Amino acid sequence: MGAILTVKDLNVTYINKTRRVMAVRRASFSIDKGDSLGIVGESGSGKSTLAMALLRLHPKSTEITGEALFDGKDLLSISEAEMNELRWMKLAVVFQKAMNALSPVHRISTQIEDIYRVHCPSASGEEIQERAMELLKLVNLPPRVYRLYPHEMSGGMLQRVAIAISLLHHPQLLIFDEATTALDVVTQGQILREILEMEKTLETTRIMITHDMSVVATTCNKVAVMYAGELMEFGMVKDVLTRPRHPYTQGLQDSFPSLKGENPKLLSIPGFLPDLSKDIPGCVFAPRCAHATERCRREKPPMTKTSEAGQAACWLCVGDENGK
């Protein structure tokens, strides 16, 4: 299958009166139709910023450069009118807190009808209700939900409604931005299983933004590891999570508990995220990396091929030089 999304040298800079914060730097990757890509990293790594850039949902003062080819169009350069035609029709998102995405004073039916008619103004109420019932069933919700108010439902039900709304127009690419993080473990597991079942019947490509490595391991086939706005490692989940090539990926794994075998002591990554308003000449992870050399602090490592589909931005992966 060909690439459905190709991102090249994406940069996102937040600008205020006193500072320019480079939240995403030189991000490049591609995903094929039918792929499920997990983007992982600690808080502040730029995961959500990257997703919002693809959706063009940043404040107007934000500076975005690079290229993001989707459906034959560059998402970063098309007009706002063209982008509005793509959003929800071909490109949709499920946000973390569904309660904040739904009006507390309107029934679910009213909200679904309003959203549907933004792109299909002539649609009848019967047509919209029929589509809504299909999707509510798909996300394991009873028909009665259609007439309820948000306050009459649990957090898990609201999250399912948000997923159903995102699927109203059969989008080609669906982005989950920490969509299950605020839920309890049991509900999260149920929704993740439903997402996987849903993808068996829908031709949808998914990007899953999360800080939970287990979510990526169980629901994605590709993974992108981000740190301080930069892509550290990219590849197939089965390769990256079983044999990580970047020290940061290894650090994330060491800080996550295993449910199988022995339970070794969890190790945190020492140090803190760097100040992204300052220029960083070498590897952005070097100040926290146990393997860092002078070259790491002086020169920016290139993305180097580590497997058939894998890449890592680390001097340890560059040929025979081995970071020297």
Side-chain angles (χ1 to χ4, degrees), residues 203-270:
E203 292 185 358
T204 303
T205 304
R206 169 170 49 93
I207 294 178
M208 180 78 76
I209 296 169
T210 180
H211 62 266
D212 191 334
M213 297 286 277
S214 66
V215 169
V216 174
T218 55
T219 66
C220 300
N221 70 323
K222 289 183 178 177
V223 60
V225 181
M226 290 191 71
Y227 173 75
E230 297 187 17
L231 204 60
M232 298 286 101
E233 191 165 0
F234 182 90
M236 303 301 293
V237 167
K238 59 183 178 64
D239 297 327
V240 174
L241 297 190
T242 57
R243 190 168 176 261
R245 301 299 301 276
H246 198 285
Y248 179 62
T249 309
Q250 184 63 61
L252 287 179
Q253 286 198 299
D254 290 343
S255 64
F256 196 82
S258 173
L259 297 180
K260 295 181 180 180
E262 296 182 5
N263 289 313
K265 182 180 179 181
L266 298 182
L267 303 174
S268 62
I269 302 173

Side-chain angles (χ1 to χ4, degrees), residues 70-277:
F70 171 76
D71 195 35
K73 299 179 180 179
D74 181 5
L75 298 176
L76 307 183
S77 64
I78 59 176
S79 67
E80 189 64 29
E82 289 178 292
M83 191 66 199
N84 287 336
E85 290 179 5
L86 287 178
R87 285 197 205 102
W88 304 113
M89 293 295 287
K90 294 187 177 183
L91 184 66
V93 61
V94 181
F95 295 105
Q96 179 176 353
K97 296 179 180 179
M99 198 66 178
N100 295 342
L102 297 170
S103 167
V105 297
H106 294 92
R107 296 182 190 273
I108 297 300
S109 58
T110 301
Q111 299 186 58
I112 289 179
E113 288 173 12
D114 287 348
I115 294 169
Y116 197 91
R117 287 199 173 104
V118 168
H119 291 283
C120 301
S122 61
S124 66
E126 293 77 15
E127 176 188 337
I128 298 172
Q129 182 171 346
E130 183 180 349
R131 176 63 179 154
M133 290 303 169
E134 289 177 14
L135 294 173
L136 290 176
K137 182 179 179 181
L138 191 66
V139 296
N140 202 24
L141 286 175
R144 66 181 181 83
V145 165
Y146 193 62
R147 301 296 302 168
L148 296 180
Y149 288 95
H151 72 267
E152 297 178 284
M153 294 182 284
S154 67
M157 294 173 73
L158 289 172
Q159 202 64 59
R160 288 179 170 90
V161 169
I163 294 171
I165 289 174
S166 72
L167 295 168
L168 278 174
H169 298 289
H170 302 283
Q172 296 175 21
L173 179 62
L174 186 56
I175 299 174
F176 289 83
D177 186 9
E178 301 275 14
T180 60
T181 300
L183 304 175
D184 62 84
V185 175
V186 174
T187 304
Q188 175 179 271
Q190 290 174 343
I191 290 179
L192 290 175
R193 285 193 296 273
E194 284 155 16
I195 290 171
L196 293 177
E197 287 296 319
M198 175 186 73
E199 289 180 347
K200 293 179 181 178
T201 58
L202 302 176
E203 292 185 358
T204 303
T205 304
R206 169 170 49 93
I207 294 178
M208 180 78 76
I209 296 169
T210 180
H211 62 266
D212 191 334
M213 297 286 277
S214 66
V215 169
V216 174
T218 55
T219 66
C220 300
N221 70 323
K222 289 183 178 177
V223 60
V225 181
M226 290 191 71
Y227 173 75
E230 297 187 17
L231 204 60
M232 298 286 101
E233 191 165 0
F234 182 90
M236 303 301 293
V237 167
K238 59 183 178 64
D239 297 327
V240 174
L241 297 190
T242 57
R243 190 168 176 261
R245 301 299 301 276
H246 198 285
Y248 179 62
T249 309
Q250 184 63 61
L252 287 179
Q253 286 198 299
D254 290 343
S255 64
F256 196 82
S258 173
L259 297 180
K260 295 181 180 180
E262 296 182 5
N263 289 313
K265 182 180 179 181
L266 298 182
L267 303 174
S268 62
I269 302 173
F272 303 94
L273 285 165
D275 184 347
L276 298 182
S277 66

Side-chain angles (χ1 to χ4, degrees), residues 11-16 19-25 49 58-59 61-65 276:
N11 297 276
V12 182
T13 304
Y14 293 121
I15 302 172
N16 60 24
R19 295 199 305 169
R20 292 170 57 89
V21 178
M22 294 167 280
V24 174
R25 317 186 200 199
T49 294
H58 285 301
S61 61
T62 307
E63 182 181 282
I64 303 175
T65 61
L276 298 182

